[in-house]
Amino acid sequence: MALRADDAFVALHGAGRLEDLAGAQKAAIAKAAEMRGEGQEISYIRSTFAPEDGRCMCLFDGESAGQVQALNDAARLPYTRVVPALDLTS
């Protein structure tokens, strides 16, 4: 999936465990679907988990960092910050 630079945002999540990732991923997917049903343009793309650091980066296709923050807040997914990102996947 090719995203424009102004469409991609990463939610940075602090310490976590691999066991918690599946539930968080399902919550992000479900909340994104709900928001799309309300007419918002947002999608969960994927997550990358670094087990040695206990950190997770979740990539979203959205309209703004605020929108991605709202998704994470509504899904009760703790994050340290949301930043613009470039998806370099070919």
Side-chain angles (χ1 to χ4, degrees):
M1 171 180 294
L3 302 177
R4 294 189 324 259
D6 59 349
D7 288 342
F9 297 90
V10 171
L12 303 171
H13 300 271
R17 301 175 310 150
L18 182 59
E19 297 81 24
D20 300 330
L21 186 56
Q25 185 179 41
K26 287 179 184 177
I29 291 167
K31 184 51 69 174
E34 180 182 319
M35 291 171 75
R36 279 194 312 278
E38 297 169 352
Q40 297 188 53
E41 294 185 27
I42 189 165
S43 297
Y44 166 85
I45 306 299
R46 73 178 151 278
S47 294
T48 300
F49 180 64
E52 286 189 21
D53 289 337
R55 299 193 188 279
C56 184
M57 295 174 286
C58 299
L59 181 64
F60 294 87
D61 178 6
E63 297 172 332
S64 69
Q67 182 190 46
V68 173
Q69 289 172 337
L71 182 150
N72 281 268
D73 289 342
R76 296 180 180 237
L77 301 173
Y79 58 92
T80 55
R81 47 190 220 154
V82 173
V83 296
L86 297 175
D87 183 20
L88 304 177
T89 306
S90 57

